[in-house]
Amino acid sequence: MTLPGPPLWLLAELTYRCPLHCVFCYNPVDFAAHEQELSTEDWLRTLREARELGAVQCGFSGGEPMLRADLEILVAEAHRLGYYTNLLTSGVGLTEKRARILRSAGLDHIQLSLQDSTREMNDFLSHTRTFDLKQRCARIIKEHGWPMVLNVVMHRLNIDHIGRIIEMADQLGAEYVELANSQYYSWAELNREHLLPTREQLQRAEAVTNEWRERLGERMKLFFVVPDYYETRPKKCMNGWGNVFLTITPDGTALPCHTARMLPGLAFPNVRDMSLREIWYDSEGFNRYRGTGWMKEPCRSCPEKEKDYGGCRCQAYMLAGDPAAADPVCDKSALHHVVTEAVERAQKGLLETRPLIFRTPDESRRLLART
Amino acid sequence: MNPAGARPCLNPLFRMQWEQAQQSWVLLYPEGMVKLNQSAAEILRRCDGERDMQGIVTDLEQAFSATGLAADVNAFLEIARAQRWVVWK
């Protein structure tokens, strides 16, 4: 195998603490067991080491990254090192003063998200507190000359409001809006039956999005992402395992994607114990599913194996019970029916009687106790 | 069509920089990156809001001892504008 390229994308998940309790959060469901956060010094070293390897995009995420009091220090160092710096936030905690400091620290971009599926979305749609908060954040973002990028997680419970959501995004002055359907990992996987939209919902939502594209023209770029359960070929997850993405979790664990820790029989290194160079090039965790050598049939002989690298390892594990299997989203997978059955259940509207599970530390501890 | 006499400059929402690890110029933007080939980089580096199209072409032709670059530069700037990499002053 040729030497892998550098980790171009560093995702720094600064904390699992979060004021929101989103039912589709991609943080691990057992996050309560991994709350030992890295120190400022550890993060600064990690930023330097990743930049030396060639990382150029740096995302500060969480949880809610604004809850880290040293965010400004980390942003300033990332900027000094030459990263393009992105802050992924719900906007809770973004005050005028903090924005000013982040701007002078060199923050390049804020992605404002609309996250909470129930209260927050209802508030937003009914023009109350959340809309006020987002409006305040949007104004701050614009005043500081940042691009106005809004991310809205779409699902069965809000997708029928998509026209209204786009209209509000336009009122906020958004230039780029991602309307990305939730992917079914972690908390969203627990709540999948509540979140997977019907085919009709998706078609309607795409049609409405297209109407808005025509109406808004160049003013706003709209990205609509369909759940991969409706596809017949899997996504090229993370652009390939250990190919360009490097995630560091709050406790310093280095992962090829933010959900990879769920995979069995695979130890992932920690930046407290190992240099990023060793982690990226030499560790078992990053090498296991690199390239195509690990593949089984039908991937191994598939002419498209370089195109999607067999899809997502986590999805293969969750749906096929084997991280080295083909992602069952692919219709060449012997287990593709697992996906189509979930889609059929969504059409019939056979909702689970179990209520939605909200992402809270208490719930996380309850789930931990069960396993 | 690129407006005649107007001066292209890099969209302030994009940042262009040399990346040692990639041995390449790149354009950075929110959560994304475009790796530029040499000719794209040479054109974009000259989009400073000072030179117009003709100025950029003349400068490139001098720097690379070449002639007849106008069509290529024009075609690239069409793409760059559609991608919002450049704005016109």
Side-chain angles (χ1 to χ4, degrees):
Chain A
M1 198 168 80
T2 53
L3 195 69
L8 299 176
W9 234 113
L10 174 69
L11 182 68
E13 292 185 327
L14 298 182
T15 180
Y16 284 141
R17 289 173 287 139
C18 189
L20 304 182
H21 309 294
C22 306
V23 293
F24 44 74
C25 183
Y26 67 74
N27 284 166
V29 292
D30 62 355
F31 71 84
H34 307 286
E35 285 181 320
Q36 284 281 21
E37 291 184 12
L38 288 180
S39 67
T40 307
E41 274 311 309
D42 287 331
W43 276 119
L44 292 173
R45 189 187 67 247
T46 301
L47 289 172
R48 281 193 289 270
E49 289 184 0
R51 182 71 183 130
E52 277 164 25
L53 289 182
V56 62
Q57 283 282 353
C58 177
F60 293 102
S61 169
E64 174 49 67
M66 302 285 284
L67 291 177
R68 280 284 295 218
D70 56 0
L71 175 65
E72 289 81 348
I73 297 171
L74 303 180
V75 167
E77 178 67 0
H79 176 72
R80 194 188 65 78
L81 292 166
Y83 284 104
Y84 190 93
T85 51
N86 307 272
L87 175 64
L88 286 66
T89 178
S90 66
V92 178
L94 181 68
T95 58
E96 173 54 44
K97 184 179 167 207
R98 232 171 157 196
R100 213 167 41 241
I101 300 170
L102 285 167
R103 188 65 185 166
S104 57
L107 182 66
D108 291 298
H109 157 231
I110 296 179
Q111 184 206 80
L112 186 62
S113 58
L114 200 59
Q115 302 276 11
D116 198 310
S117 66
T118 49
R119 185 181 67 77
E120 199 190 25
M121 187 54 74
N122 287 334
D123 274 7
F124 182 69
L125 293 168
S126 62
H127 234 288
T128 55
R129 278 175 308 179
T130 294
F131 185 71
D132 291 343
L133 166 75
K134 303 295 169 182
Q135 209 166 26
R136 204 164 52 242
C137 291
R139 202 194 59 237
I140 290 173
I141 288 169
K142 290 228 134 178
E143 278 172 8
H144 286 85
W146 281 305
M148 178 60 215
V149 182
L150 191 66
N151 175 283
V152 191
V153 178
M154 306 304 304
H155 47 74
R156 191 183 184 99
L157 305 172
N158 69 6
I159 196 166
D160 294 330
H161 303 297
I162 196 163
R164 182 99 180 95
I165 291 169
I166 297 170
E167 188 187 340
M168 307 275 259
D170 189 38
Q171 286 172 24
L172 294 178
E175 292 156 287
Y176 301 87
V177 179
E178 294 172 15
L179 301 156
N181 265 276
S182 142
Q183 302 200 55
Y184 306 104
Y185 298 92
S186 308
W187 298 86
E189 198 239 345
L190 287 178
N191 291 309
R192 189 184 72 193
E193 307 282 316
H194 291 278
L195 299 176
L196 186 61
T198 67
R199 194 171 281 118
E200 291 69 30
Q201 280 184 306
L202 282 169
Q203 282 164 353
R204 239 184 352 253
E206 274 201 277
V208 171
T209 306
N210 284 332
E211 284 167 26
W212 275 96
R213 280 191 181 120
E214 293 219 346
R215 197 178 315 174
L216 295 167
E218 297 243 312
R219 191 156 86 224
M220 189 197 284
K221 262 202 144 103
L222 285 162
F223 302 92
F224 184 83
V225 184
V226 173
D228 62 354
Y229 276 48
Y230 281 90
E231 308 282 1
T232 50
R233 284 291 176 275
K235 57 183 177 273
K236 188 182 184 183
C237 198
M238 309 317 286
N239 213 30
W241 180 276
N243 187 23
V244 290
F245 282 93
L246 170 61
T247 297
I248 309 294
T249 65
D251 69 351
T253 306
L255 301 173
C257 86
H258 30 262
T259 57
R261 183 143 57 181
M262 73 166 80
L263 299 178
L266 199 50
F268 289 103
N270 193 295
V271 297
R272 296 182 215 247
D273 313 319
M274 218 188 259
S275 76
L276 271 188
R277 183 171 295 279
E278 288 172 274
I279 287 174
W280 182 256
Y281 291 106
D282 305 329
S283 73
E284 158 74 359
F286 277 80
N287 281 320
R288 174 76 70 90
Y289 301 112
R290 260 195 181 123
T292 55
W294 53 273
M295 287 179 176
K296 300 178 175 176
E297 291 299 345
C299 296
R300 187 184 294 169
S301 60
C302 180
E304 294 170 69
K305 67 179 174 185
E306 303 270 352
K307 200 169 147 194
D308 54 38
Y309 288 105
C312 169
R313 297 306 88 226
C314 299
Q315 199 145 269
Y317 170 59
M318 288 187 296
L319 301 181
D322 176 5
D327 183 336
V329 159
C330 185
D331 65 10
K332 294 182 181 183
S333 159
L335 287 160
H336 183 58
H337 63 88
V338 175
V339 172
T340 53
E341 281 161 15
V343 164
E344 285 325 304
R345 276 198 302 281
Q347 310 312 310
K348 292 189 186 122
L350 300 177
L351 280 181
E352 280 191 349
T353 47
R354 195 183 69 186
L356 279 164
I357 301 173
F358 288 85
R359 175 222 190 268
T360 63
D362 279 351
E363 202 64 69
S364 177
R365 278 187 285 271
R366 248 195 303 280
L367 289 161
L368 268 166
R370 246 178 30 196
T371 51
Chain B
M1 270 297 287
N2 295 310
R7 293 157 300 159
C9 71
L10 197 63
N11 182 336
L13 299 180
F14 289 81
R15 197 166 84 213
M16 187 174 166
Q17 68 188 35
W18 172 257
E19 278 300 299
Q20 196 62 29
Q22 300 177 61
Q23 286 297 301
S24 161
W25 287 89
V26 297
L27 262 189
L28 301 169
Y29 56 95
E31 295 177 70
M33 181 186 79
V34 182
K35 198 168 170 168
L36 299 167
N37 63 28
Q38 202 202 341
S39 48
E42 293 298 340
I43 298 169
L44 279 179
R45 284 173 65 191
R46 288 167 172 80
C47 294
D48 54 6
E50 302 286 325
R51 303 170 170 95
D52 63 6
M53 248 268 298
Q54 190 48 54
I56 292 171
V57 171
T58 308
D59 197 33
L60 283 166
E61 290 180 341
Q62 274 168 8
F64 295 94
S65 313
T67 52
L69 297 182
D72 285 350
V73 174
N74 195 48
F76 173 76
L77 286 177
E78 280 284 342
I79 296 167
R81 187 172 55 148
Q83 298 290 333
R84 303 186 189 198
W85 299 341
V86 296
V87 292
W88 295 75
K89 284 190 170 176

